Amino acid sequence: GEVDMYITHLIHSTFLIETKKAFILFDYYGKGQLPELFDKDIYIFSSHSHEDHFDMKVLELFADNPRAFFIMAYDIRRNFGDRIKSEYPNVQDRIIYLMPNRETDIGDVHIETLASTDAGVAYIVTHNHKVFFHAGDLHLWIWKEESDRYNERMSNAYYKRIAELKNRVIDYAFYPVDLRQEEHYDKGLKYFLDNTKTVKVFPMHYFENYSTTDKIFQNKSLSDHYEKIVRIEHFNQVFHFEEES
């Protein structure tokens, strides 16, 4: 039979997935519309400590929910770990901090981490026979104002990371497309889609600039991949998928 699955783009890089069995929340930092009721297990992933990806608000909201599990990058422990421990002692047995290249299971989710090209980690999450990839800030961060040497080192680091995903089937990816990079904004997404077996990708990291979506679909370099790219058009946009159960 078919089972409904919902993926909500809240804002920026924040996404909420709802399956039959669970909620999965990525990179919530206090903005965007969350449902009133979380009536099943919720797995809360935070990719790194930058303020547009993590905020203590996520603990404030979910610390008292015994069905909430926190999966956080190692740099969040470094920057917030003591505060989390003292302010939310009751979450200590429901929180895990992960380094890159780790693999673990929590409840209904299987989790793998990759090193970022920026801070923290990217997550590969397998749940209900589907693979979700949230890049966090793993991306080809090249800038025209940087030196060639910097951009070359960045590119090499990025290609190495994506090689770790070679031939992986990713059902749903969440991947940065950031117009601040000007003429380089599409290169990471293109390389990612050229070198993984991604079925659907949600562009993210828009900083609320929703014109990014139109740019993507006017960009000939991405035209081979148009049918994989989900059109992100506004805050709190809900996408409905039917999955084989």
Side-chain angles (χ1 to χ4, degrees):
E2 298 282 306
V3 177
D4 294 324
M5 183 180 77
Y6 297 92
I7 298 181
T8 303
H9 158 75
L10 277 78
I11 188 172
H12 197 51
S13 303
T14 310
F15 288 86
L16 178 69
I17 299 160
E18 183 182 359
T19 70
K20 199 168 99 173
K21 296 184 189 157
F23 289 97
I24 298 170
L25 178 61
F26 285 112
D27 281 13
Y28 179 76
Y29 63 106
K31 293 185 175 179
Q33 193 63 52
L34 289 172
E36 292 293 294
L37 184 67
F38 284 93
D39 52 354
K40 34 196 152 182
D41 291 347
I42 172 165
Y43 301 95
I44 297 162
F45 290 85
S46 301
S47 65
H48 63 293
S49 63
H50 291 173
E51 66 183 11
D52 59 320
H53 293 264
F54 171 78
D55 189 274
M56 288 292 286
K57 177 111 174 144
V58 76
L59 286 133
E60 195 185 304
L61 287 176
F62 294 106
D64 294 331
N65 180 345
R67 300 184 72 177
F69 301 90
F70 298 89
I71 302 95
M72 296 189 173
Y74 63 97
D75 70 315
I76 296 175
R77 173 185 258 166
R78 191 183 300 147
N79 295 311
F80 294 94
D82 292 343
R83 205 176 137 194
I84 290 170
K85 209 179 215 146
S86 67
E87 290 179 29
Y88 301 100
N90 60 332
V91 304
Q92 291 311 305
D93 55 347
R94 289 182 284 115
I95 191 165
I96 179 172
Y97 296 99
L98 294 176
M99 296 289 289
N101 305 115
R102 295 286 190 272
E103 199 161 340
T104 190
D105 291 279
I106 297 178
D108 267 342
V109 297
H110 179 72
I111 303 157
E112 299 161 74
T113 58
L114 287 185
S116 180
T117 46
D118 189 357
V121 299
Y123 291 110
I124 306 162
V125 178
T126 307
H127 169 70
N128 237 3
H129 312 293
K130 292 285 169 202
V131 179
F132 302 90
F133 173 78
H134 192 285
D137 270 352
L138 167 58
H139 175 52
L140 183 58
W141 291 114
I142 54 178
W143 305 90
K144 68 172 191 220
E145 54 273 22
E146 288 288 353
S147 67
D148 291 348
R149 186 161 175 265
Y150 173 91
N151 284 336
E152 194 177 323
R153 281 191 7 229
M154 167 58 68
S155 301
N156 290 335
Y158 176 74
Y159 301 148
K160 220 181 251 156
R161 290 290 94 77
I162 301 306
E164 296 173 41
L165 295 169
K166 198 87 186 137
N167 297 326
R168 284 289 295 257
V169 172
I170 296 167
D171 295 292
Y172 300 96
F174 305 89
Y175 188 88
V177 179
D178 192 328
L179 293 186
R180 297 175 309 164
Q181 288 181 284
E182 297 173 65
E183 68 265 32
H184 298 304
Y185 81 91
D186 56 330
K187 295 192 170 88
L189 180 63
K190 178 172 166 50
Y191 191 87
F192 175 79
L193 292 174
D194 285 345
N195 289 282
T196 61
K197 293 184 173 162
T198 295
V199 181
K200 283 270 173 236
V201 62
F202 290 76
M204 64 177 188
H205 217 262
Y206 278 18
F207 285 105
E208 306 177 35
N209 183 355
Y210 288 95
S211 69
T212 306
T213 295
D214 286 337
K215 279 209 90 138
I216 288 171
F217 285 98
Q218 290 155 8
N219 186 321
K220 294 293 170 271
S221 83
L222 295 168
S223 58
D224 289 352
H225 300 298
Y226 282 170
E227 75 289 349
K228 300 174 191 170
I229 302 171
V230 176
R231 291 193 71 100
I232 301 282
E233 288 173 328
H234 58 84
F235 304 122
N236 305 317
Q237 188 176 1
V238 182
F239 300 89
H240 172 234
F241 298 92
E242 287 186 352
E243 292 295 355
E244 293 298 316
S245 64

